[in-house]
Amino acid sequence: MGREWGIWFVFACIWFSSLSFINGDTNAADASALNALYSSLNLSPQLTGWTSIGGDPCGQSWKGITCSDSSVTQINLSGLGLNGTMGYTLSSMTSLIELDLSNNLLGNGSQIPYNLPSSLQRLNLAGNLYNGEIPYSISLMISLEHLNLAHNQLQDSLGDMFAKLTNLSLMDLSFNNFSGDLPQSFSGLSSLKSLFLQNNKFSGQIDVLVDLPLQDLNVANNNFSGSIPDPLKKINNLQTDGNPWSFTPAPPSPPYTPPGRRIKPGQTSGGNSSPAGDSEGEKNSGIGIGGIVGIIASVLVISSILVFFLIRRKRHETSQGNHEEDQHFTSLPSNEVKEMKHIQTSSLVSTNVVQPTTPITLKPPPRQKSFDADDFSTKPVVKVSAPIPIKATVYSVADLQIATESFSIDNLVGEGSVGHVYKAQFSDGKVLAVKKINSSALPNQSSEDFLELVSNVSRLHHPNLTELVGYCSEHGQHLLVYEFHKNGSLHDFLHVSDEYNRPLSWNTRVKIALGTAQALEYLHEVCSPSVVHKNFKSANILLDTELNPHLSDCGLATLIPDPEYQSSENAMGSGYSAPEVAMSGQYTLKSDVYSFGVVMLELITGRKPFDSSRPRSEQALVRWATPQLHDIDALDKMVDPALKGLCPPKSLSRFADVIALCVQPEPEFRPPMSEVVQALVRLVQRANMSKRLSTGDDGQDLQEFTF
Ligand SMILES: *[C@@H]1O[C@H](CO)[C@@H](O)[C@H](O)[C@H]1NC(C)=O
Ligand SMILES: *[C@@H]1O[C@H](CO)[C@@H](O)[C@H](O)[C@H]1NC(C)=O
Ligand SMILES: *[C@@H]1O[C@H](CO)[C@@H](O)[C@H](O)[C@H]1NC(C)=O
Ligand SMILES: *[C@@H]1O[C@H](CO)[C@@H](O)[C@H](O)[C@H]1NC(C)=O
Ligand SMILES: *[C@@H]1O[C@H](CO)[C@@H](O)[C@H](O)[C@H]1NC(C)=O
Ligand SMILES: *[C@@H]1O[C@H](CO)[C@@H](O)[C@H](O)[C@H]1NC(C)=O
């Protein structure tokens, strides 16, 4: 009898312990995010009930966790002496409303992670050790009501990220090291009642706060200047001491206040990337010879006429699709619309909107431009009578000067061989990237050539390409205006040390590889004729707030300096050029595929394609890495240490297989981009399948490989 009870007791124990090992009542994604959080918090003994694997946070009432049904809605771990970080998996907690980690020792020299749940209504990280800047993901938390980041070591100017936070009623950024002007988007904080900015180094004026429903405002101990606007003086609880108010550099301030103008290291890419970097143009040794020029010129003239008629026909066919175009206009800053030249406006309105899904037929990619003057005497005949339809906004030099504060060095976000790139902040709050083309990149400063280029680029549309928004061709100046990607380039994410504290996860790396592969596939196989990128590199892959990739500099190949000016050593030195390019200067679709393989190698190893600081045998990434791609043990050692081993071995080896195909020395053996895309899609699908089998998501992955 006693023995039977004993057996039952053992069974019961086994049953209970197995219960505690599965996720019980709690949503699996939430549970595994908390598992990962627990390990990021160094398994603090304060977190009673918590486990780093499995468990049931809601059912077992883990310390500080509140649930609603089976979802975690609140985390309150305030004042528990916790150290470590928040980890990078919290964003999968889609029901989380409140996150209070205040008064701990979190962050210690690292930045607030960017992937916080966008469902948050209250976020309190006050009294920790975070430094760096506020992550841009805050701009997506449209339900946010309370934001408290006081008493950390946050610094730099605030990004212009507040436009959508219309429910925010309390914001406390006091006792940090913030500097710069208050961003323009503060004016959109239409519910803001309490604002605490004291004890920072903010400067500029506070006019942007004038229309907010403030009841408490503390701006004490900063570097604010100008005068306190009258409406603000009526606020009940107002503190303004400790500022040099009267100090006004120029008496009346212009109505336009330039918002935060910091260059953050992550942004440099916006520029590096944008000027078509360092690759070479097509080889054109024979072009100087008069006869050939004549032939090419007449071919060009004839094809321009043909294209002109084709476009006109297309325009007629689609003259009903103009509403879309009008909508596009209404979203533009009104002053820019006004500034548009008449001719271009009309051609713009009548241009066909190219649907991203339909195959696009482009004109032949712009050819080499170094023709004789003879050549140009014939070209204008065609072009003047046939203005090229361009679907892009025309900006004036004056517009762009205001938006970039006269191309001030503070707004410089990148330099390349084609020109400099500036962050441009328009008075309506819109932020764009302006690429100022060097006059040397456009031979003969021909506006016709430039417009042709703009026309071609403006017809490229793909979710993974950086969109051209507008251009400016005035007074001999040539500028391209692009969307701005706040998160900078892949190059900076992988190689700039300031970014060390936000390593890209394996899943994100795969996502970036797949997205850029699709962008190249589009250029190579959807556009007709194909567009060779010629300058594919990690600095030309820009990341948006969700770390989706956007390939930049598409269609700018002709702006790149002639091969003569660039020794083949340089081409080798960048580490991206296929061997046949270094030898012949000939770029092809297959040389793009090679460069794509090199970027995949960067993603997997975290190394630069060419790194002179490494031992000689490891300097050239392709030479060092390719012999090891098929050896699983070697592959493990080669993986970017920043991943801390958090990548599934199967996924890794499939990724390596794709790389090996792309970087083959013989161009004819490299696969077309569509095959690369398919291989990566299969990789992602299999990864998802095995994830589902193990009931996890990101967090589950982490467990699997941490423990
Ligand atoms: C961080 O917290 C863990 C667990 O509480 C503790 O063991 C460790 O010593 C702490 N580290 C530091 C640097 O305080
Ligand atoms: C979190 O817990 C602390 C201490 O237990 C408490 O003071 C604080 O009000 C709580 N935060 C929220 C938002 O409930
Ligand atoms: C913070 O980091 C420093 C140096 O990295 C270390 O000495 C210190 O113990 C850390 N403090 C905490 C609370 O983790
Ligand atoms: C903002 O607050 C209002 C009123 O509380 C609410 O109805 C609305 O859903 C909130 N907006 C968002 C985006 O959460
Ligand atoms: C604040 O920033 C300044 C530079 O702007 C720096 O010199 C200073 O050390 C920072 N202070 C703290 C406490 O981080
Ligand atoms: C304060 O702001 C003025 C301009 O308004 C600037 O010249 C000065 O350098 C700032 N001082 C500090 C300490 O940041």
Side-chain angles (χ1 to χ4, degrees):
M1 187 75 168
R3 212 171 122 229
E4 254 175 61
W5 276 113
I7 289 168
W8 279 116
F9 180 73
V10 170
F11 270 127
C13 286
I14 293 171
W15 185 68
F16 272 114
S17 63
S18 70
L19 245 197
S20 70
F21 217 76
I22 56 173
N23 285 333
D25 280 344
T26 312
N27 173 318
D30 288 354
S32 56
L34 290 179
N35 292 148
L37 176 62
Y38 183 49
S39 3
S40 302
L41 295 172
N42 295 329
L43 314 177
S44 167
Q46 292 279 357
L47 300 174
T48 47
W50 289 53
T51 58
S52 59
I53 185 161
D56 180 8
C58 297
Q60 300 165 333
S61 52
W62 288 12
K63 182 173 183 109
I65 300 300
T66 308
C67 299
S68 167
D69 297 331
S70 58
S71 301
V72 176
T73 53
Q74 289 182 37
I75 301 178
N76 184 357
L77 303 175
S78 176
L80 297 180
L82 304 173
N83 66 36
T85 67
M86 273 182 264
Y88 287 85
T89 50
L90 288 176
S91 57
S92 54
M93 307 188 73
T94 49
S95 304
L96 196 65
I97 291 172
E98 173 160 328
L99 179 59
D100 185 346
L101 298 175
S102 57
N103 301 316
N104 284 295
L105 300 164
L106 300 179
N108 199 8
S110 67
Q111 296 192 359
I112 298 172
Y114 51 87
N115 33 11
L116 294 169
S118 55
S119 54
L120 285 179
Q121 291 173 10
R122 291 180 294 278
L123 174 61
N124 189 349
L125 302 176
N128 279 291
L129 304 170
Y130 282 107
N131 71 13
E133 44 190 47
I134 300 185
Y136 199 70
S137 50
I138 300 257
S139 67
L140 306 175
M141 297 183 185
I142 53 173
S143 304
L144 202 59
E145 293 166 9
H146 292 184
L147 174 63
N148 191 345
L149 304 176
H151 292 277
N152 277 280
Q153 293 154 15
L154 301 169
Q155 56 198 17
D156 291 339
S157 53
L158 298 173
D160 215 359
M161 57 171 84
F162 300 92
K164 291 189 190 144
L165 304 186
T166 50
N167 270 8
L168 193 65
S169 66
L170 179 147
M171 174 154 60
D172 190 344
L173 304 178
S174 60
F175 295 91
N176 278 290
N177 204 4
F178 287 116
S179 56
D181 295 350
L182 300 184
Q184 201 65 29
S185 58
F186 262 29
S187 62
L189 294 168
S190 53
S191 305
L192 194 65
K193 296 202 174 62
S194 303
L195 178 61
F196 302 100
L197 301 176
Q198 68 269 29
N199 297 75
N200 280 287
K201 291 179 183 145
F202 285 115
S203 55
Q205 307 198 5
I206 60 169
D207 298 13
V208 69
L209 306 177
V210 158
D211 293 326
L212 307 185
L214 288 170
Q215 291 165 3
D216 307 286
L217 174 62
N218 191 337
V219 295
N221 303 320
N222 277 287
N223 186 22
F224 286 116
S225 54
S227 58
I228 302 165
D230 286 337
L232 294 182
K233 285 181 184 153
K234 295 186 190 122
I235 292 174
N236 267 346
N237 191 359
L238 173 70
Q239 314 262 350
T240 59
D241 299 344
N243 286 285
W245 287 109
S246 49
F247 177 79
T248 36
S253 68
Y256 165 71
T257 319
R261 48 179 127 150
R262 133 218 57 155
I263 308 178
K264 101 176 184 178
Q267 282 166 359
T268 46
S269 62
N272 233 343
S273 50
S274 332
D278 41 14
S279 67
E280 302 76 38
E282 293 157 53
K283 213 167 185 177
N284 64 331
S285 46
I287 281 183
I289 303 159
I292 297 180
V293 169
I295 292 168
I296 293 177
S298 34
V299 168
L300 261 183
V301 169
I302 292 168
S303 57
S304 308
I305 294 173
L306 273 177
V307 166
F308 170 56
F309 279 109
L310 277 176
I311 288 166
R312 271 189 48 146
R313 227 182 80 197
K314 202 153 193 189
R315 238 198 267 172
H316 283 292
E317 283 165 8
T318 58
S319 57
Q320 284 171 324
N322 287 343
H323 302 290
E324 235 175 309
E325 201 58 47
D326 295 340
Q327 274 169 5
H328 178 71
F329 267 128
T330 55
S331 69
L332 294 174
S334 57
N335 59 328
E336 283 137 32
V337 175
K338 263 183 267 154
E339 289 284 339
M340 277 190 212
K341 288 176 193 157
H342 200 68
I343 284 189
Q344 269 133 346
T345 308
S346 55
S347 67
L348 220 164
V349 173
S350 57
T351 313
N352 176 28
V353 180
V354 184
Q355 299 299 328
T357 44
T358 58
I360 295 180
T361 304
L362 286 167
K363 287 205 285 184
R367 293 288 163 215
Q368 201 58 42
K369 298 302 190 297
S370 49
F371 300 116
D372 301 352
D374 283 2
D375 177 33
F376 283 103
S377 63
T378 59
K379 269 161 115 192
V381 177
V382 176
K383 295 204 168 151
V384 165
S385 61
I388 304 159
I390 295 173
K391 184 207 165 247
T393 308
V394 181
Y395 290 89
S396 69
V397 171
D399 287 340
L400 299 181
Q401 248 168 352
I402 294 172
T404 59
E405 298 173 274
S406 301
F407 300 101
S408 86
I409 191 129
D410 287 346
N411 287 321
L412 185 65
V413 291
E415 296 176 60
S417 52
V418 168
H420 292 167
V421 179
Y422 299 85
K423 181 179 176 186
Q425 177 89 50
F426 293 89
S427 48
D428 62 348
K430 195 180 269 188
V431 180
L432 298 170
V434 175
K435 183 184 326 218
K436 196 161 177 269
I437 311 283
N438 290 342
S439 49
S440 60
L442 266 178
N444 304 313
Q445 315 226 337
S446 154
S447 294
E448 283 81 14
D449 288 347
F450 180 68
L451 293 182
E452 185 183 325
L453 178 131
V454 171
S455 161
N456 283 334
V457 175
S458 70
R459 269 176 262 173
L460 301 172
H461 298 287
H462 186 275
N464 297 112
L465 296 187
T466 304
E467 284 274 314
L468 184 78
V469 177
Y471 68 100
C472 167
S473 173
E474 218 180 64
H475 312 308
Q477 302 274 2
H478 301 294
L479 303 104
L480 295 171
V481 182
Y482 286 97
E483 55 182 348
F484 182 81
H485 291 299
K486 168 91 182 172
N487 258 330
S489 73
L490 177 61
H491 175 273
D492 291 353
F493 250 89
L494 291 176
H495 309 307
V496 174
S497 56
D498 303 49
E499 310 291 333
Y500 69 97
N501 40 24
R502 32 177 202 170
L504 296 168
S505 71
W506 176 249
N507 286 349
T508 305
R509 291 175 200 231
V510 172
K511 176 170 89 170
I512 292 169
L514 177 57
T516 44
Q518 286 167 325
L520 266 190
E521 178 192 29
Y522 167 81
L523 295 177
H524 287 181
E525 298 172 39
V526 179
C527 294
S528 168
S530 306
V531 176
V532 180
H533 189 283
K534 290 192 186 176
N535 197 19
F536 190 89
K537 55 181 182 179
S538 58
N540 273 340
I541 297 171
L542 307 182
L543 301 177
D544 66 19
T545 50
E546 284 159 340
L547 301 178
N548 295 307
H550 300 265
L551 182 58
S552 74
D553 276 17
C554 301
L556 301 189
T558 52
L559 289 179
I560 293 163
D562 291 349
E564 294 94 81
Y565 300 128
Q566 221 152 7
S567 68
S568 57
E569 272 150 45
N570 268 353
M572 292 283 275
S574 76
Y576 290 102
S577 301
E580 76 274 10
V581 171
M583 285 188 290
S584 68
Q586 291 291 335
Y587 284 88
T588 60
L589 300 182
K590 292 298 174 75
S591 61
D592 276 352
V593 176
Y594 181 93
S595 306
F596 176 80
V598 177
V599 168
M600 282 183 81
L601 267 181
E602 273 181 273
L603 283 167
I604 210 172
T605 62
R607 294 185 176 212
K608 293 178 187 166
F610 189 82
D611 188 348
S612 53
S613 67
R614 292 190 184 270
R616 207 165 175 77
S617 62
E618 300 185 12
Q619 287 182 350
L621 181 55
V622 173
R623 203 183 309 145
W624 170 73
T626 37
Q628 314 184 55
L629 285 172
H630 294 301
D631 173 347
I632 292 185
D633 292 334
L635 197 56
D636 268 350
K637 295 199 189 95
M638 210 164 90
V639 167
D640 188 351
L643 280 167
K644 300 203 172 76
L646 303 181
C647 54
K650 284 219 180 88
S651 181
L652 191 66
S653 78
R654 289 185 192 121
F655 201 80
D657 291 343
V658 179
I659 298 176
L661 291 173
C662 294
V663 297
Q664 295 179 91
E666 306 85 357
E668 62 275 18
F669 292 157
R670 295 174 208 146
M673 282 314 293
S674 51
E675 280 178 22
V676 173
V677 168
Q678 277 167 27
L680 289 172
V681 166
R682 277 197 301 273
L683 186 158
V684 171
Q685 283 169 343
R686 285 186 190 147
N688 285 343
M689 216 142 64
S690 56
K691 249 190 256 166
R692 234 173 287 137
L693 289 178
S694 64
T695 69
D697 57 356
D698 266 1
Q700 194 75 30
D701 269 359
L702 279 175
Q703 289 171 26
E704 217 173 285
F705 301 105
T706 319
F707 302 101

